[in-house]
Amino acid sequence: QVQLVESGGGLVQAGESLRLSCAASGRTLRNFRMGWFRQAPGKEREYVAAINWSTSDTYYANSVKGRFTISRDNAKNTMYLEMNSLKPDDTAVYYCAAGLIYLIRIEDPNTYNYWGQGTQVTVSS
């Protein structure tokens, strides 16, 4: 089992930055892929970014490429999402997720086994 706890959400103005954290516990993440998803009211959960824990290979949705950066700190068992140049359209609850790398389809939330509780990000115009 893997437990995931997100933090770092908040209210910011358009153009500002936030950094989200996802602390993992329960087992080694060596064979895991981890991702960030978001869900706005009335919309489906949307893929944002993903990272292979062992290699640090990263993947991004087109909507955030160039503005968001996903990373991980192996010593702290923590994943991050640095969000710059935030837009009102980025407003959503952000979730971190994890699963064994060979079972994950990067953009498909249904293939991730473990989820955090979510953290709200609100971007005002």
mmCIF file with all atom_site columns, all heavy atoms in Angstrom, residues 9-34:
data_model
loop_
_atom_site.group_PDB
_atom_site.id
_atom_site.type_symbol
_atom_site.label_atom_id
_atom_site.label_alt_id
_atom_site.label_comp_id
_atom_site.label_asym_id
_atom_site.label_entity_id
_atom_site.label_seq_id
_atom_site.pdbx_PDB_ins_code
_atom_site.Cartn_x
_atom_site.Cartn_y
_atom_site.Cartn_z
_atom_site.occupancy
_atom_site.B_iso_or_equiv
_atom_site.pdbx_formal_charge
_atom_site.auth_seq_id
_atom_site.auth_comp_id
_atom_site.auth_asym_id
_atom_site.auth_atom_id
_atom_site.pdbx_PDB_model_num
ATOM 1   N N   . GLY A 1 9  ? -1.685 23.807 -1.862  1.00 0.00 ? 9  GLY A N   1
ATOM 2   C CA  . GLY A 1 9  ? -2.679 24.548 -2.619  1.00 0.00 ? 9  GLY A CA  1
ATOM 3   C C   . GLY A 1 9  ? -2.993 25.887 -1.974  1.00 0.00 ? 9  GLY A C   1
ATOM 4   O O   . GLY A 1 9  ? -2.555 26.181 -0.866  1.00 0.00 ? 9  GLY A O   1
ATOM 5   N N   . GLY A 1 10 ? -3.758 26.704 -2.698  1.00 0.00 ? 10 GLY A N   1
ATOM 6   C CA  . GLY A 1 10 ? -4.135 27.997 -2.151  1.00 0.00 ? 10 GLY A CA  1
ATOM 7   C C   . GLY A 1 10 ? -4.771 28.879 -3.194  1.00 0.00 ? 10 GLY A C   1
ATOM 8   O O   . GLY A 1 10 ? -5.107 28.436 -4.298  1.00 0.00 ? 10 GLY A O   1
ATOM 9   N N   . LEU A 1 11 ? -4.931 30.130 -2.828  1.00 0.00 ? 11 LEU A N   1
ATOM 10  C CA  . LEU A 1 11 ? -5.527 31.150 -3.702  1.00 0.00 ? 11 LEU A CA  1
ATOM 11  C C   . LEU A 1 11 ? -4.435 32.102 -4.161  1.00 0.00 ? 11 LEU A C   1
ATOM 12  O O   . LEU A 1 11 ? -3.732 32.686 -3.320  1.00 0.00 ? 11 LEU A O   1
ATOM 13  C CB  . LEU A 1 11 ? -6.614 31.910 -2.940  1.00 0.00 ? 11 LEU A CB  1
ATOM 14  C CG  . LEU A 1 11 ? -7.198 33.142 -3.624  1.00 0.00 ? 11 LEU A CG  1
ATOM 15  C CD1 . LEU A 1 11 ? -7.916 32.757 -4.909  1.00 0.00 ? 11 LEU A CD1 1
ATOM 16  C CD2 . LEU A 1 11 ? -8.145 33.863 -2.670  1.00 0.00 ? 11 LEU A CD2 1
ATOM 17  N N   . VAL A 1 12 ? -4.290 32.224 -5.477  1.00 0.00 ? 12 VAL A N   1
ATOM 18  C CA  . VAL A 1 12 ? -3.302 33.136 -6.038  1.00 0.00 ? 12 VAL A CA  1
ATOM 19  C C   . VAL A 1 12 ? -3.938 33.928 -7.163  1.00 0.00 ? 12 VAL A C   1
ATOM 20  O O   . VAL A 1 12 ? -5.011 33.582 -7.655  1.00 0.00 ? 12 VAL A O   1
ATOM 21  C CB  . VAL A 1 12 ? -2.063 32.398 -6.573  1.00 0.00 ? 12 VAL A CB  1
ATOM 22  C CG1 . VAL A 1 12 ? -1.327 31.683 -5.444  1.00 0.00 ? 12 VAL A CG1 1
ATOM 23  C CG2 . VAL A 1 12 ? -2.438 31.428 -7.675  1.00 0.00 ? 12 VAL A CG2 1
ATOM 24  N N   . GLN A 1 13 ? -3.251 34.964 -7.593  1.00 0.00 ? 13 GLN A N   1
ATOM 25  C CA  . GLN A 1 13 ? -3.709 35.744 -8.737  1.00 0.00 ? 13 GLN A CA  1
ATOM 26  C C   . GLN A 1 13 ? -3.077 35.209 -10.016 1.00 0.00 ? 13 GLN A C   1
ATOM 27  O O   . GLN A 1 13 ? -2.028 34.551 -9.982  1.00 0.00 ? 13 GLN A O   1
ATOM 28  C CB  . GLN A 1 13 ? -3.353 37.211 -8.547  1.00 0.00 ? 13 GLN A CB  1
ATOM 29  C CG  . GLN A 1 13 ? -4.106 37.875 -7.411  1.00 0.00 ? 13 GLN A CG  1
ATOM 30  C CD  . GLN A 1 13 ? -3.905 39.373 -7.375  1.00 0.00 ? 13 GLN A CD  1
ATOM 31  O OE1 . GLN A 1 13 ? -2.898 39.883 -7.849  1.00 0.00 ? 13 GLN A OE1 1
ATOM 32  N NE2 . GLN A 1 13 ? -4.876 40.086 -6.821  1.00 0.00 ? 13 GLN A NE2 1
ATOM 33  N N   . ALA A 1 14 ? -3.718 35.488 -11.118 1.00 0.00 ? 14 ALA A N   1
ATOM 34  C CA  . ALA A 1 14 ? -3.196 35.067 -12.418 1.00 0.00 ? 14 ALA A CA  1
ATOM 35  C C   . ALA A 1 14 ? -1.768 35.584 -12.590 1.00 0.00 ? 14 ALA A C   1
ATOM 36  O O   . ALA A 1 14 ? -1.464 36.726 -12.232 1.00 0.00 ? 14 ALA A O   1
ATOM 37  C CB  . ALA A 1 14 ? -4.080 35.593 -13.529 1.00 0.00 ? 14 ALA A CB  1
ATOM 38  N N   . GLY A 1 15 ? -0.911 34.700 -13.113 1.00 0.00 ? 15 GLY A N   1
ATOM 39  C CA  . GLY A 1 15 ? 0.488  35.048 -13.317 1.00 0.00 ? 15 GLY A CA  1
ATOM 40  C C   . GLY A 1 15 ? 1.398  34.648 -12.175 1.00 0.00 ? 15 GLY A C   1
ATOM 41  O O   . GLY A 1 15 ? 2.627  34.634 -12.344 1.00 0.00 ? 15 GLY A O   1
ATOM 42  N N   . GLU A 1 16 ? 0.829  34.335 -11.025 1.00 0.00 ? 16 GLU A N   1
ATOM 43  C CA  . GLU A 1 16 ? 1.628  33.945 -9.875  1.00 0.00 ? 16 GLU A CA  1
ATOM 44  C C   . GLU A 1 16 ? 1.966  32.459 -9.909  1.00 0.00 ? 16 GLU A C   1
ATOM 45  O O   . GLU A 1 16 ? 1.590  31.731 -10.838 1.00 0.00 ? 16 GLU A O   1
ATOM 46  C CB  . GLU A 1 16 ? 0.908  34.333 -8.591  1.00 0.00 ? 16 GLU A CB  1
ATOM 47  C CG  . GLU A 1 16 ? 0.786  35.835 -8.422  1.00 0.00 ? 16 GLU A CG  1
ATOM 48  C CD  . GLU A 1 16 ? 0.159  36.235 -7.092  1.00 0.00 ? 16 GLU A CD  1
ATOM 49  O OE1 . GLU A 1 16 ? -0.507 35.382 -6.466  1.00 0.00 ? 16 GLU A OE1 1
ATOM 50  O OE2 . GLU A 1 16 ? 0.322  37.387 -6.684  1.00 0.00 ? 16 GLU A OE2 1
ATOM 51  N N   . SER A 1 17 ? 2.682  32.015 -8.880  1.00 0.00 ? 17 SER A N   1
ATOM 52  C CA  . SER A 1 17 ? 3.179  30.638 -8.828  1.00 0.00 ? 17 SER A CA  1
ATOM 53  C C   . SER A 1 17 ? 2.749  29.949 -7.548  1.00 0.00 ? 17 SER A C   1
ATOM 54  O O   . SER A 1 17 ? 2.464  30.608 -6.535  1.00 0.00 ? 17 SER A O   1
ATOM 55  C CB  . SER A 1 17 ? 4.711  30.627 -8.910  1.00 0.00 ? 17 SER A CB  1
ATOM 56  O OG  . SER A 1 17 ? 5.169  31.222 -10.107 1.00 0.00 ? 17 SER A OG  1
ATOM 57  N N   . LEU A 1 18 ? 2.708  28.625 -7.603  1.00 0.00 ? 18 LEU A N   1
ATOM 58  C CA  . LEU A 1 18 ? 2.476  27.774 -6.439  1.00 0.00 ? 18 LEU A CA  1
ATOM 59  C C   . LEU A 1 18 ? 3.296  26.509 -6.610  1.00 0.00 ? 18 LEU A C   1
ATOM 60  O O   . LEU A 1 18 ? 3.563  26.086 -7.738  1.00 0.00 ? 18 LEU A O   1
ATOM 61  C CB  . LEU A 1 18 ? 1.008  27.372 -6.333  1.00 0.00 ? 18 LEU A CB  1
ATOM 62  C CG  . LEU A 1 18 ? 0.016  28.256 -5.606  1.00 0.00 ? 18 LEU A CG  1
ATOM 63  C CD1 . LEU A 1 18 ? -1.381 27.663 -5.688  1.00 0.00 ? 18 LEU A CD1 1
ATOM 64  C CD2 . LEU A 1 18 ? 0.416  28.485 -4.161  1.00 0.00 ? 18 LEU A CD2 1
ATOM 65  N N   . ARG A 1 19 ? 3.670  25.904 -5.496  1.00 0.00 ? 19 ARG A N   1
ATOM 66  C CA  . ARG A 1 19 ? 4.312  24.599 -5.534  1.00 0.00 ? 19 ARG A CA  1
ATOM 67  C C   . ARG A 1 19 ? 3.510  23.620 -4.693  1.00 0.00 ? 19 ARG A C   1
ATOM 68  O O   . ARG A 1 19 ? 3.299  23.845 -3.496  1.00 0.00 ? 19 ARG A O   1
ATOM 69  C CB  . ARG A 1 19 ? 5.746  24.648 -5.025  1.00 0.00 ? 19 ARG A CB  1
ATOM 70  C CG  . ARG A 1 19 ? 6.467  23.318 -5.255  1.00 0.00 ? 19 ARG A CG  1
ATOM 71  C CD  . ARG A 1 19 ? 7.921  23.344 -4.859  1.00 0.00 ? 19 ARG A CD  1
ATOM 72  N NE  . ARG A 1 19 ? 8.115  23.183 -3.431  1.00 0.00 ? 19 ARG A NE  1
ATOM 73  C CZ  . ARG A 1 19 ? 9.242  22.740 -2.889  1.00 0.00 ? 19 ARG A CZ  1
ATOM 74  N NH1 . ARG A 1 19 ? 10.268 22.412 -3.663  1.00 0.00 ? 19 ARG A NH1 1
ATOM 75  N NH2 . ARG A 1 19 ? 9.347  22.648 -1.576  1.00 0.00 ? 19 ARG A NH2 1
ATOM 76  N N   . LEU A 1 20 ? 3.074  22.565 -5.340  1.00 0.00 ? 20 LEU A N   1
ATOM 77  C CA  . LEU A 1 20 ? 2.366  21.493 -4.651  1.00 0.00 ? 20 LEU A CA  1
ATOM 78  C C   . LEU A 1 20 ? 3.344  20.393 -4.272  1.00 0.00 ? 20 LEU A C   1
ATOM 79  O O   . LEU A 1 20 ? 4.301  20.137 -4.996  1.00 0.00 ? 20 LEU A O   1
ATOM 80  C CB  . LEU A 1 20 ? 1.275  20.901 -5.544  1.00 0.00 ? 20 LEU A CB  1
ATOM 81  C CG  . LEU A 1 20 ? 0.243  21.872 -6.111  1.00 0.00 ? 20 LEU A CG  1
ATOM 82  C CD1 . LEU A 1 20 ? -0.804 21.102 -6.921  1.00 0.00 ? 20 LEU A CD1 1
ATOM 83  C CD2 . LEU A 1 20 ? -0.403 22.690 -5.020  1.00 0.00 ? 20 LEU A CD2 1
ATOM 84  N N   . SER A 1 21 ? 3.068  19.759 -3.149  1.00 0.00 ? 21 SER A N   1
ATOM 85  C CA  . SER A 1 21 ? 3.869  18.628 -2.691  1.00 0.00 ? 21 SER A CA  1
ATOM 86  C C   . SER A 1 21 ? 2.977  17.417 -2.514  1.00 0.00 ? 21 SER A C   1
ATOM 87  O O   . SER A 1 21 ? 1.798  17.545 -2.188  1.00 0.00 ? 21 SER A O   1
ATOM 88  C CB  . SER A 1 21 ? 4.555  18.952 -1.358  1.00 0.00 ? 21 SER A CB  1
ATOM 89  O OG  . SER A 1 21 ? 5.405  20.055 -1.473  1.00 0.00 ? 21 SER A OG  1
ATOM 90  N N   . CYS A 1 22 ? 3.558  16.246 -2.720  1.00 0.00 ? 22 CYS A N   1
ATOM 91  C CA  . CYS A 1 22 ? 2.849  14.986 -2.505  1.00 0.00 ? 22 CYS A CA  1
ATOM 92  C C   . CYS A 1 22 ? 3.801  14.072 -1.744  1.00 0.00 ? 22 CYS A C   1
ATOM 93  O O   . CYS A 1 22 ? 4.768  13.560 -2.324  1.00 0.00 ? 22 CYS A O   1
ATOM 94  C CB  . CYS A 1 22 ? 2.428  14.362 -3.820  1.00 0.00 ? 22 CYS A CB  1
ATOM 95  S SG  . CYS A 1 22 ? 1.705  12.708 -3.667  1.00 0.00 ? 22 CYS A SG  1
ATOM 96  N N   . ALA A 1 23 ? 3.538  13.881 -0.466  1.00 0.00 ? 23 ALA A N   1
ATOM 97  C CA  . ALA A 1 23 ? 4.375  13.027 0.368   1.00 0.00 ? 23 ALA A CA  1
ATOM 98  C C   . ALA A 1 23 ? 3.860  11.604 0.324   1.00 0.00 ? 23 ALA A C   1
ATOM 99  O O   . ALA A 1 23 ? 2.672  11.363 0.566   1.00 0.00 ? 23 ALA A O   1
ATOM 100 C CB  . ALA A 1 23 ? 4.385  13.542 1.796   1.00 0.00 ? 23 ALA A CB  1
ATOM 101 N N   . ALA A 1 24 ? 4.752  10.666 0.024   1.00 0.00 ? 24 ALA A N   1
ATOM 102 C CA  . ALA A 1 24 ? 4.371  9.260  -0.109  1.00 0.00 ? 24 ALA A CA  1
ATOM 103 C C   . ALA A 1 24 ? 4.940  8.441  1.041   1.00 0.00 ? 24 ALA A C   1
ATOM 104 O O   . ALA A 1 24 ? 6.042  8.711  1.517   1.00 0.00 ? 24 ALA A O   1
ATOM 105 C CB  . ALA A 1 24 ? 4.869  8.709  -1.435  1.00 0.00 ? 24 ALA A CB  1
ATOM 106 N N   . SER A 1 25 ? 4.196  7.456  1.455   1.00 0.00 ? 25 SER A N   1
ATOM 107 C CA  . SER A 1 25 ? 4.672  6.550  2.500   1.00 0.00 ? 25 SER A CA  1
ATOM 108 C C   . SER A 1 25 ? 4.071  5.176  2.272   1.00 0.00 ? 25 SER A C   1
ATOM 109 O O   . SER A 1 25 ? 3.094  5.022  1.535   1.00 0.00 ? 25 SER A O   1
ATOM 110 C CB  . SER A 1 25 ? 4.281  7.069  3.888   1.00 0.00 ? 25 SER A CB  1
ATOM 111 O OG  . SER A 1 25 ? 2.882  7.151  4.012   1.00 0.00 ? 25 SER A OG  1
ATOM 112 N N   . GLY A 1 26 ? 4.668  4.179  2.898   1.00 0.00 ? 26 GLY A N   1
ATOM 113 C CA  . GLY A 1 26 ? 4.100  2.837  2.862   1.00 0.00 ? 26 GLY A CA  1
ATOM 114 C C   . GLY A 1 26 ? 4.959  1.798  2.183   1.00 0.00 ? 26 GLY A C   1
ATOM 115 O O   . GLY A 1 26 ? 4.949  0.629  2.594   1.00 0.00 ? 26 GLY A O   1
ATOM 116 N N   . ARG A 1 27 ? 5.663  2.183  1.135   1.00 0.00 ? 27 ARG A N   1
ATOM 117 C CA  . ARG A 1 27 ? 6.532  1.229  0.460   1.00 0.00 ? 27 ARG A CA  1
ATOM 118 C C   . ARG A 1 27 ? 7.471  1.982  -0.469  1.00 0.00 ? 27 ARG A C   1
ATOM 119 O O   . ARG A 1 27 ? 7.263  3.163  -0.758  1.00 0.00 ? 27 ARG A O   1
ATOM 120 C CB  . ARG A 1 27 ? 5.724  0.202  -0.335  1.00 0.00 ? 27 ARG A CB  1
ATOM 121 C CG  . ARG A 1 27 ? 4.837  0.779  -1.413  1.00 0.00 ? 27 ARG A CG  1
ATOM 122 C CD  . ARG A 1 27 ? 4.316  -0.292 -2.336  1.00 0.00 ? 27 ARG A CD  1
ATOM 123 N NE  . ARG A 1 27 ? 5.401  -0.813 -3.176  1.00 0.00 ? 27 ARG A NE  1
ATOM 124 C CZ  . ARG A 1 27 ? 5.257  -1.824 -4.012  1.00 0.00 ? 27 ARG A CZ  1
ATOM 125 N NH1 . ARG A 1 27 ? 4.100  -2.463 -4.102  1.00 0.00 ? 27 ARG A NH1 1
ATOM 126 N NH2 . ARG A 1 27 ? 6.259  -2.235 -4.756  1.00 0.00 ? 27 ARG A NH2 1
ATOM 127 N N   . THR A 1 28 ? 8.479  1.281  -0.956  1.00 0.00 ? 28 THR A N   1
ATOM 128 C CA  . THR A 1 28 ? 9.409  1.887  -1.898  1.00 0.00 ? 28 THR A CA  1
ATOM 129 C C   . THR A 1 28 ? 8.692  2.255  -3.190  1.00 0.00 ? 28 THR A C   1
ATOM 130 O O   . THR A 1 28 ? 7.779  1.552  -3.633  1.00 0.00 ? 28 THR A O   1
ATOM 131 C CB  . THR A 1 28 ? 10.577 0.937  -2.199  1.00 0.00 ? 28 THR A CB  1
ATOM 132 O OG1 . THR A 1 28 ? 11.428 1.564  -3.172  1.00 0.00 ? 28 THR A OG1 1
ATOM 133 C CG2 . THR A 1 28 ? 10.083 -0.392 -2.747  1.00 0.00 ? 28 THR A CG2 1
ATOM 134 N N   . LEU A 1 29 ? 9.117  3.360  -3.794  1.00 0.00 ? 29 LEU A N   1
ATOM 135 C CA  . LEU A 1 29 ? 8.507  3.819  -5.035  1.00 0.00 ? 29 LEU A CA  1
ATOM 136 C C   . LEU A 1 29 ? 9.369  3.488  -6.245  1.00 0.00 ? 29 LEU A C   1
ATOM 137 O O   . LEU A 1 29 ? 9.135  3.998  -7.333  1.00 0.00 ? 29 LEU A O   1
ATOM 138 C CB  . LEU A 1 29 ? 8.268  5.328  -4.962  1.00 0.00 ? 29 LEU A CB  1
ATOM 139 C CG  . LEU A 1 29 ? 7.321  5.780  -3.852  1.00 0.00 ? 29 LEU A CG  1
ATOM 140 C CD1 . LEU A 1 29 ? 7.282  7.295  -3.781  1.00 0.00 ? 29 LEU A CD1 1
ATOM 141 C CD2 . LEU A 1 29 ? 5.917  5.231  -4.094  1.00 0.00 ? 29 LEU A CD2 1
ATOM 142 N N   . ARG A 1 30 ? 10.334 2.589  -6.041  1.00 0.00 ? 30 ARG A N   1
ATOM 143 C CA  . ARG A 1 30 ? 11.332 2.336  -7.076  1.00 0.00 ? 30 ARG A CA  1
ATOM 144 C C   . ARG A 1 30 ? 10.704 1.952  -8.404  1.00 0.00 ? 30 ARG A C   1
ATOM 145 O O   . ARG A 1 30 ? 11.157 2.382  -9.443  1.00 0.00 ? 30 ARG A O   1
ATOM 146 C CB  . ARG A 1 30 ? 12.280 1.226  -6.618  1.00 0.00 ? 30 ARG A CB  1
ATOM 147 C CG  . ARG A 1 30 ? 13.455 0.990  -7.554  1.00 0.00 ? 30 ARG A CG  1
ATOM 148 C CD  . ARG A 1 30 ? 14.373 -0.050 -6.969  1.00 0.00 ? 30 ARG A CD  1
ATOM 149 N NE  . ARG A 1 30 ? 13.661 -1.290 -6.731  1.00 0.00 ? 30 ARG A NE  1
ATOM 150 C CZ  . ARG A 1 30 ? 13.905 -2.111 -5.700  1.00 0.00 ? 30 ARG A CZ  1
ATOM 151 N NH1 . ARG A 1 30 ? 14.821 -1.808 -4.814  1.00 0.00 ? 30 ARG A NH1 1
ATOM 152 N NH2 . ARG A 1 30 ? 13.227 -3.229 -5.555  1.00 0.00 ? 30 ARG A NH2 1
ATOM 153 N N   . ASN A 1 31 ? 9.663  1.162  -8.416  1.00 0.00 ? 31 ASN A N   1
ATOM 154 C CA  . ASN A 1 31 ? 9.045  0.709  -9.666  1.00 0.00 ? 31 ASN A CA  1
ATOM 155 C C   . ASN A 1 31 ? 7.751  1.451  -9.982  1.00 0.00 ? 31 ASN A C   1
ATOM 156 O O   . ASN A 1 31 ? 6.903  0.936  -10.704 1.00 0.00 ? 31 ASN A O   1
ATOM 157 C CB  . ASN A 1 31 ? 8.780  -0.790 -9.581  1.00 0.00 ? 31 ASN A CB  1
ATOM 158 C CG  . ASN A 1 31 ? 10.068 -1.573 -9.476  1.00 0.00 ? 31 ASN A CG  1
ATOM 159 O OD1 . ASN A 1 31 ? 11.049 -1.279 -10.159 1.00 0.00 ? 31 ASN A OD1 1
ATOM 160 N ND2 . ASN A 1 31 ? 10.085 -2.566 -8.602  1.00 0.00 ? 31 ASN A ND2 1
ATOM 161 N N   . PHE A 1 32 ? 7.641  2.645  -9.443  1.00 0.00 ? 32 PHE A N   1
ATOM 162 C CA  . PHE A 1 32 ? 6.391  3.387  -9.587  1.00 0.00 ? 32 PHE A CA  1
ATOM 163 C C   . PHE A 1 32 ? 6.506  4.530  -10.585 1.00 0.00 ? 32 PHE A C   1
ATOM 164 O O   . PHE A 1 32 ? 7.572  5.088  -10.825 1.00 0.00 ? 32 PHE A O   1
ATOM 165 C CB  . PHE A 1 32 ? 5.965  3.958  -8.228  1.00 0.00 ? 32 PHE A CB  1
ATOM 166 C CG  . PHE A 1 32 ? 5.160  2.997  -7.405  1.00 0.00 ? 32 PHE A CG  1
ATOM 167 C CD1 . PHE A 1 32 ? 5.717  1.812  -6.960  1.00 0.00 ? 32 PHE A CD1 1
ATOM 168 C CD2 . PHE A 1 32 ? 3.846  3.274  -7.078  1.00 0.00 ? 32 PHE A CD2 1
ATOM 169 C CE1 . PHE A 1 32 ? 4.970  0.911  -6.215  1.00 0.00 ? 32 PHE A CE1 1
ATOM 170 C CE2 . PHE A 1 32 ? 3.101  2.381  -6.320  1.00 0.00 ? 32 PHE A CE2 1
ATOM 171 C CZ  . PHE A 1 32 ? 3.664  1.207  -5.887  1.00 0.00 ? 32 PHE A CZ  1
ATOM 172 N N   . ARG A 1 33 ? 5.371  4.836  -11.157 1.00 0.00 ? 33 ARG A N   1
ATOM 173 C CA  . ARG A 1 33 ? 5.165  6.088  -11.874 1.00 0.00 ? 33 ARG A CA  1
ATOM 174 C C   . ARG A 1 33 ? 4.161  6.894  -11.065 1.00 0.00 ? 33 ARG A C   1
ATOM 175 O O   . ARG A 1 33 ? 3.176  6.354  -10.567 1.00 0.00 ? 33 ARG A O   1
ATOM 176 C CB  . ARG A 1 33 ? 4.636  5.840  -13.273 1.00 0.00 ? 33 ARG A CB  1
ATOM 177 C CG  . ARG A 1 33 ? 4.262  7.104  -14.051 1.00 0.00 ? 33 ARG A CG  1
ATOM 178 C CD  . ARG A 1 33 ? 3.919  6.745  -15.482 1.00 0.00 ? 33 ARG A CD  1
ATOM 179 N NE  . ARG A 1 33 ? 5.113  6.444  -16.255 1.00 0.00 ? 33 ARG A NE  1
ATOM 180 C CZ  . ARG A 1 33 ? 5.124  5.616  -17.315 1.00 0.00 ? 33 ARG A CZ  1
ATOM 181 N NH1 . ARG A 1 33 ? 4.004  5.019  -17.693 1.00 0.00 ? 33 ARG A NH1 1
ATOM 182 N NH2 . ARG A 1 33 ? 6.229  5.406  -17.981 1.00 0.00 ? 33 ARG A NH2 1
ATOM 183 N N   . MET A 1 34 ? 4.428  8.176  -10.934 1.00 0.00 ? 34 MET A N   1
ATOM 184 C CA  . MET A 1 34 ? 3.526  9.044  -10.176 1.00 0.00 ? 34 MET A CA  1
ATOM 185 C C   . MET A 1 34 ? 3.039  10.174 -11.067 1.00 0.00 ? 34 MET A C   1
ATOM 186 O O   . MET A 1 34 ? 3.723  10.578 -12.001 1.00 0.00 ? 34 MET A O   1
ATOM 187 C CB  . MET A 1 34 ? 4.227  9.601  -8.948  1.00 0.00 ? 34 MET A CB  1
ATOM 188 C CG  . MET A 1 34 ? 4.635  8.521  -7.969  1.00 0.00 ? 34 MET A CG  1
ATOM 189 S SD  . MET A 1 34 ? 5.282  9.177  -6.436  1.00 0.00 ? 34 MET A SD  1
ATOM 190 C CE  . MET A 1 34 ? 3.810  9.897  -5.712  1.00 0.00 ? 34 MET A CE  1
#
